[in-house]
Amino acid sequence: MPEDDDHPHAGGDSTPRKGTMWYSRSAEEVLVQLGSAITGLSVQEAARRLAINGPNELKEGKRVSPLHLFFGQFKSLIVWILIGAGAISSLLGEVVDAIAILAIVFLNAVIGFYQEFKAEQSIAALKKMTAPQAKARRDGNVTAIAASGIVAGDILALEAGDLVAADARILEAASLKCIESALTGESDAVTKQAKTLAQGDIPLGDRENMVFMGTSVAAGTGQAVVVATGMNSELGRIAGLIEEAGADEGTPLQQKLDSFGRILVWAALGIVALLFGLGLLRGTKLLELIMTSVSLAVAAVPEGLPAIVTVSLALGVLRMSRRRALVRRLPAVETLGSTTVICTDKTGTLTVGEMTVRALSVAGRSYEVTGEGYGPGGEVRFGGRKSGAQHTAPLLDLATVLLGCNNAHLVQEDGTWKVVGDPTEGALLAVGLKAGGDRQRIDKELPKHHEIPFDSDRKRSTVIRRMPDGKLRAFINGAPDVLLLRCTNLYTGTGVRPMTDEDRGSLVAQNTALARQALRVIGSAYRDLDDLPPAALTADAVERDLVFVGLVGMYDPPRQEAKEAVTKCRAAGIRVVMITGDHPHTAMAIARELGIAADGDTAIAGVELDTMSDDDLRQRAPGTAVYARVTAEHKLRIVRAWKANGAVVAMTGDGVNDAPAIKGADIGIAMGISGTEVTKQASDMIITDDNFASIVAAVEEGRGIYDNIRKTLQYLLAGNTGELLLMTICVVVGLPSPLLPIHLLWINLVTDGLPALFLAADPIDPDVMNRPPRRRSERITDRGFLGPMFLTGFLTAGVSFTVYLYGLKTGTEEMARTQAFAVLVFAELLRAFGVRSETKPVWRISLLTNFNLAIVVSISFGLQVWSHHNVTLGRFLKTSFMSLGDCFLLLAVGVIPLLVLETVKVVRHTRPQWRTEP
């Protein structure tokens, strides 16, 4: 990161640029460079800087107007083909045809608009994270002012519970701790200090002498000088990344349909032009040629396709909501099904997001602790069983230290236990209660006399309480290595004895073993004191000659269901990549436990990423499972590296630092419970239970939806192919048009359209997650799609042409057209049952698994037969009367294509599965 040498002192005309390494400069240097002092700015100087630099606010990206969003629904090439066909029909006086076509187009646009209306609110949501009020020194006095009025050089007064108003360099800190998980991904509160850090590029989470806009103060007090405001802050930089990442590249389905639409347009235009020219050579009337051309265009285009795809995705949204996934953009449903890589945040996504104690060591014995988070669920176990009465005394003595030196509180909100205060102390409080401690009894019987807060130099905290006998006892929790140096005695469970070198070596080995499990280890000790006034109870006087009690190992545990979900992803050919702001050894331990990384794998840290070019990262991405100590910008680069390798990337997360990558991924997934509003607004989908397993369930739904769209598309296009072949054959051989535009619209919208809707709701194949994901380059109209489509089109066109030719020889042109229309409708309706599976014949698929399809096909049969007996409907469809006997005879002819197709299916799959398909 380049050093910025701008010096806005003596006037401070501008907010210093983000590149300045404020953490590597002394507090005095920072104050001089910013033209400020420990007493703060004057009111006049602050007003001047505010006028020059503008308010301390995040700028909103360009809003998409509802009108623009609505017209965006008309980008599809197929939609414009329909609009053109509707316009020509209107000009030719075919008003009914034109209204029907344009109504379908409008309905599709309304549905899409409704689903996407609120999809662009990411930058606005960031404003909710900024502090509405801040305390700053003006003219030497601490004053509460609007956070938007904070300027570079202001001195912020910080205390527990505050939301930090701007990026600032700490000048003074007294037990100051900040929660930065939303910005960095780390679960622990970060201890802050004022000392100058080393030169060089230090990761955001390690800048201990800085506080950042949008984070909160967990404990302690401090003062800090503002170095960056608004869009120049780290939060502002993320806002800029979200806007940059938001370019819409289109989902795989959108890209495939657009590609298919272009092919369809040129094929249709080519056929229409060829036949139009052939008609001119034959001397056919121009008006008749135009009408025939419009009919051919209508036959070539599946009018119901845009609506069918939209409704298919909407049905998928409904099904996914039942599996705890809320979809904010319709195409995201299908994108999930083609996902090849899931880049996931660790904290709060793969893990619980709460520090949890897993191990205790006291009086020479090691214990396991069950349960997750801060709730009372779980127990202390010894040897795989709940600890018995012989363990009660030592566990209670350890619990007394853990609870006695603790300022956190646990509260239950909406059924969830949360910590008020430092998360580490919250975890110690939770395990102290599981070990038999009683917080209320301790506060009542052992009242607090004095406290020596934690600081990063001592690496421990002390609370002194008065015992029932009137004496004082100091309870100390801290880093084991430092604490052991100040211990001279050892608690044994039956008493206290002097600590030997062997004891010390054993405790060091236990500490090392716990640390190798990626556990954060805390040591506990106590000391009895003489009755002294608080002023005499200094750290040096109290924290020596201690009695060492025990060790506590804690971490942010993986979710119980996450490992199973990762295994399912592997079976489905989906790569899971962990991207976290946490330390590399912690990230690798969790990744190995979940099965994301193997024993020999290593993590790439953010510092290493900074040295890589985009091309280097693209080459290394496929071989890297874990990225640690990364920033929001790094996460976005990783997502783009995978996309550059051709992957369809899903990005999951909950913090603000995940939002840019979520916005830049093919499918962005936010956590509904722990996720920030920023992340939710940047996402395509929200998981309501914060469960990684729900993401896998959503992928399964996405694959099933794609399968249904594919079979529906094949059903529609095979019908269009048959219509186009029938029309083309008749024009080539010089016969009158066998179908009118209204016939084609009826077939495409009613006969094909209604069954297609229920094909889109077909049950998902249970084996859908046992096959690899589709490649991004894979065409939806591949060989396996086109072969059956053309065969179906040839068969339906063949039976319809035969009936039409027979009708022309035995009756009138109108009757022949009516019979051709009827047999084509019957063939199409029957084919809906066969298209449900590419491998199983129709008699092996239960009708009850999609009973709605059977009902709508029956209704469509009835409508078709009724159209030949009802004068009004017959006039609308331009059909003639036909007896019931003729109708059933044509129905028998319409079965021929289905029988041939199912026979081919059986022959092709010589070993069919004989179970009923769900």
Side-chain angles (χ1 to χ4, degrees), residues 562-718:
K563 186 172 183 178
E564 182 181 347
V566 170
T567 302
K568 284 185 178 180
C569 285
R570 191 181 297 113
I574 300 170
R575 179 75 178 275
V576 179
V577 178
M578 179 191 291
I579 307 177
T580 177
D582 217 334
H583 291 279
H585 70 276
T586 304
M588 283 303 302
I590 296 293
R592 291 190 185 105
E593 187 171 347
L594 289 171
I596 294 174
D599 289 340
D601 291 346
T602 57
I604 292 181
V607 174
E608 187 178 353
L609 278 174
D610 285 331
T611 65
M612 290 186 192
S613 67
D614 288 342
D615 190 58
D616 291 338
L617 179 57
R618 180 186 63 78
Q619 293 179 26
R620 291 193 60 178
T624 305
V626 179
Y627 298 86
R629 222 66 184 142
V630 294
T631 64
E633 190 170 9
H634 292 145
K635 293 184 179 187
L636 181 57
R637 284 188 64 201
I638 293 164
V639 166
R640 287 174 171 170
W642 273 107
K643 290 175 73 173
N645 281 311
V648 177
V649 184
M651 173 70 196
T652 76
D654 60 351
V656 179
N657 60 325
D658 300 314
I662 282 176
K663 189 75 171 179
D666 292 297
I667 172 77
I669 306 170
M671 301 295 108
I673 299 173
S674 61
T676 62
E677 188 66 20
V678 184
T679 312
K680 293 175 185 177
Q681 295 296 343
S683 69
D684 301 296
M685 188 178 79
I686 299 171
I687 298 298
T688 59
D689 61 354
D690 285 17
N691 191 335
F692 185 78
S694 295
I695 298 171
V696 180
V699 170
E700 182 179 2
E701 286 288 344
R703 289 190 175 189
I705 289 163
Y706 182 86
D707 286 351
N708 285 348
I709 289 176
R710 177 183 163 94
K711 74 175 66 167
T712 304
L713 183 62
Q714 187 183 60
Y715 175 70
L716 292 174
L717 291 182

Side-chain angles (χ1 to χ4, degrees), residues 706-712 714-715 762 765 771 778 780 782-786 788 833-842 845 901-902 904-906 908-909 917:
Y706 182 86
D707 286 351
N708 285 348
I709 289 176
R710 177 183 163 94
K711 74 175 66 167
T712 304
Q714 187 183 60
Y715 175 70
D762 229 17
D765 185 346
R771 63 187 190 219
E778 181 181 317
I780 196 168
D782 58 13
R783 184 177 177 181
F785 181 98
L786 294 175
F833 297 115
V835 80
R836 293 183 61 195
S837 174
E838 294 183 7
T839 59
K840 300 178 182 66
V842 68
I845 305 173
L901 289 168
E902 297 309 294
V904 170
K905 194 185 294 183
V906 171
R908 182 182 300 160
H909 302 278
E917 183 175 355

Side-chain angles (χ1 to χ4, degrees), residues 412-540:
Q412 193 173 20
E413 296 180 2
D414 300 324
T416 302
W417 286 92
K418 297 182 179 180
V419 62
V420 178
D422 180 70
T424 298
E425 290 194 343
L428 297 178
L429 176 56
V431 77
L433 298 176
K434 292 177 185 179
D438 187 333
R439 175 69 172 273
Q440 292 182 343
R441 182 188 63 80
I442 290 175
D443 287 340
K444 182 179 179 180
E445 298 179 6
L446 312 178
K448 185 184 291 187
H449 178 70
H450 184 59
E451 181 176 358
I452 307 172
F454 179 93
D455 69 53
S456 57
D457 292 327
R458 291 168 38 249
K459 295 185 179 179
R460 55 189 176 273
S461 61
T462 299
V463 172
I464 301 166
R465 294 180 178 271
R466 191 170 295 279
M467 305 300 287
D469 59 5
K471 294 183 180 180
L472 297 178
R473 175 171 288 184
F475 298 98
I476 303 102
N477 291 321
D481 52 344
V482 176
L483 204 59
L484 277 171
L485 296 175
R486 293 180 168 268
C487 292
T488 56
N489 298 288
L490 180 66
Y491 171 81
T492 63
T494 57
V496 177
R497 63 173 174 79
M499 182 180 289
T500 65
D501 289 340
E502 185 179 350
D503 294 330
R504 201 177 298 275
S506 176
L507 291 169
V508 169
Q510 290 178 43
N511 179 38
T512 302
L514 291 173
R516 283 176 177 170
Q517 299 174 43
L519 297 179
R520 181 185 176 196
V521 188
I522 302 293
S524 297
Y526 72 88
R527 180 190 173 194
D528 291 325
L529 303 167
D530 295 330
D531 193 356
L532 298 172
L537 297 172
T538 63
D540 289 336

Side-chain angles (χ1 to χ4, degrees), residues 736-891:
S737 179
L739 298 171
L740 300 176
I742 191 63
H743 296 157
L744 295 165
L745 279 175
W746 178 265
I747 294 171
N748 291 354
L749 298 179
V750 180
T751 306
D752 287 355
L754 291 177
L757 281 175
F758 293 95
L759 282 172
D762 229 17
I764 294 173
D765 185 346
D767 297 326
V768 74
M769 290 296 284
N770 293 328
R771 63 187 190 219
R774 303 181 309 279
R775 296 186 304 275
R776 181 187 285 272
S777 59
E778 181 181 317
R779 303 180 72 91
I780 196 168
T781 51
D782 58 13
R783 184 177 177 181
F785 181 98
L786 294 175
M789 185 193 80
F790 284 121
L791 176 60
T792 303
F794 174 79
L795 290 171
T796 53
V799 295
S800 299
F801 180 72
T802 302
V803 167
Y804 182 57
L805 202 59
Y806 179 80
L808 287 175
K809 290 183 178 181
T810 60
T812 64
E813 180 181 324
E814 185 177 350
M815 178 55 72
R817 187 175 288 133
T818 297
Q819 292 171 342
F821 174 44
V823 76
L824 191 59
V825 166
F826 293 148
E828 290 292 298
L829 290 173
L830 290 169
R831 199 170 48 80
F833 297 115
V835 80
R836 293 183 61 195
S837 174
E838 294 183 7
T839 59
K840 300 178 182 66
V842 68
W843 51 87
R844 298 298 175 191
I845 305 173
S846 172
L847 286 177
L848 297 179
T849 57
N850 196 339
F851 192 61
N852 290 333
L853 176 64
I855 291 174
V856 78
V857 167
S858 300
I859 292 173
S860 297
F861 270 127
L863 282 174
Q864 186 63 38
V865 173
W866 189 39
S867 73
H868 301 301
H869 293 79
N870 181 272
V871 177
T872 303
L873 186 57
R875 188 181 299 116
F876 175 78
L877 291 177
K878 300 176 183 177
T879 58
S880 300
F881 173 82
M882 194 163 52
S883 68
L884 285 176
D886 288 342
C887 287
F888 284 109
L889 180 62
L890 291 174
L891 175 61

